[in-house]
Amino acid sequence: MHRTTRIKITELNPHLMCVLCGGYFIDATTIVECLHSFCKMCIVRYLETSKYCPICDVQVHKTKPLLNIRSDKTLQDIVYKLVPGLFKNEMKRRRDFYAEHPSVDAANGSNEDRGEVADEDKRIIADDEIISLSIEFFDHKYCQFNCRGEDEEVSQETNVKRYLQCPAAMTVMHLRKFLRSKMDIPCSFQIDVMYEDEPLKDYYTLMDIAYIYTWRRNGPLPLKYKVRPGCKKMKMSSPRDDVTNSRKPETESDSGSEKPNSPPAGAPSNSSSLPSPSTPAQSPHPNFPHISTINGAPTKPNGQTPLSSKVCKASVNGSPSLG
């Protein structure tokens, strides 16, 4: 089974930082020839004195290198979403700049260039942000009825939505624990938190869910849950244990049996080395399967010893005994 691992933001820094200024990308811009990215201001200043890439020295353009650079909005959105607080601080910095320099004409720039874009408009979510969500019980039968347009009144009465406000860093595991304690669900049942009809991983945060399923902030984050019986772990027994367990009751029954051939219960018994009369003894002679011995004494093919009704000589542990 594939195991998902979470990595730290510091491990991604080489892919998110500009080598010219040493900071995270701001207005990420990529060179067309080699696909290396930099901050827009950094690469424009650098290409004023050089026509080669700062990383791989490939020629950007012979005469006008600015023609072969492109703005990379996708990369910039990734940086804003991965680095906490970067977008908010950048927007504030731009607003402060234009407030201190009113003579600078910013009418030709976009709202983002002027710092007038909020986190909600850009769909940037911070770790400490409070997210509104709705949680309701997921029932497949009612879901089918709603799709067919039937029994809407029954489904609306049964599926009651609950509304919560939680930090964006809260995980699905915390939400499951909250539901278990709030609904008094026994530990023998498993709780699955779902988005539509897809179960969510325990390590997903509300921020991850909002990014993965492109939540537009047009209402509470819609979540569902279902309860199912938990899987009991079965103890795997080894073949040796099975053989031991299967032989144990036979040994106990033989020791306490009242058969004529069995020794008294109080007397010490050497019959542990003897097979029971009902089971044929295995022959130590592979070439002559009809001959078998019990402690050196030959037996008949049916597994019984040639004992007479009067006197029988047998060798039990090397000592002669009378029957």
Side-chain angles (χ1 to χ4, degrees), residues 177-320:
K177 290 182 178 180
F178 172 78
L179 291 173
R180 186 180 298 278
S181 62
K182 193 70 175 178
M183 305 295 182
D184 292 332
I185 300 175
C187 296
S188 58
F189 290 87
Q190 182 71 23
I191 303 174
D192 292 334
V193 179
M194 312 171 67
Y195 186 92
E196 294 181 352
D197 58 346
E198 183 176 352
L200 301 175
K201 304 293 185 182
D202 283 347
Y203 56 82
Y204 279 2
T205 63
L206 297 182
M207 182 172 59
D208 295 336
I209 299 172
Y211 284 149
I212 293 173
Y213 298 98
T214 61
W215 179 49
R216 302 296 181 181
R217 296 178 183 264
N218 51 2
L221 182 64
L223 298 179
K224 299 179 182 179
Y225 74 96
K226 66 178 181 179
V227 181
R228 58 183 176 85
C231 298
K232 294 183 179 180
K233 295 182 179 180
M234 298 181 63
K235 182 179 180 181
M236 302 299 293
S237 59
S238 61
R240 182 178 298 178
D241 296 338
D242 296 339
V243 174
T244 305
N245 295 334
S246 62
R247 288 182 177 179
K248 187 175 181 180
E250 295 179 1
T251 306
E252 293 177 355
S253 61
D254 291 342
S255 62
S257 63
E258 297 179 356
K259 296 180 181 179
N261 295 332
S262 62
S269 173
N270 294 328
S271 62
S272 60
S273 61
L274 300 178
S276 59
S278 59
T279 57
Q282 297 180 356
S283 172
H285 307 285
N287 296 329
F288 304 96
H290 62 280
I291 299 177
S292 60
T293 59
I294 300 178
N295 290 343
T299 61
K300 292 183 178 181
N302 58 359
Q304 297 179 355
T305 56
L307 298 178
S308 62
S309 58
K310 295 182 180 180
V311 180
C312 175
K313 293 183 179 181
S315 173
V316 178
N317 295 333
S319 59

Side-chain angles (χ1 to χ4, degrees), residues 150-167:
E150 302 174 359
D151 295 342
E152 280 192 18
E153 297 181 358
V154 177
S155 62
Q156 289 178 359
E157 294 177 359
T158 305
N159 294 338
V160 179
K161 286 187 179 182
R162 306 293 182 183
Y163 297 90
L164 303 172
Q165 286 187 335
C166 307

Side-chain angles (χ1 to χ4, degrees), residues 15 35 50 83 91 96 106 120 122 163 199 214 218 253-254 276 302:
H15 309 283
L35 299 181
S50 177
V83 182
M91 294 299 104
D96 295 342
E120 292 80 6
K122 193 68 174 177
Y163 297 90
T214 61
N218 51 2
S253 61
D254 291 342
S276 59
N302 58 359

Side-chain angles (χ1 to χ4, degrees), residues 19 31-38 46 51-60:
V19 298
I31 298 177
V32 176
E33 296 295 330
C34 58
L35 299 181
H36 287 133
S37 300
F38 312 89
Y46 181 86
K51 296 179 178 61
Y52 298 91
C53 174
I55 297 178
C56 62
D57 288 335
V58 68
Q59 189 175 26
V60 181

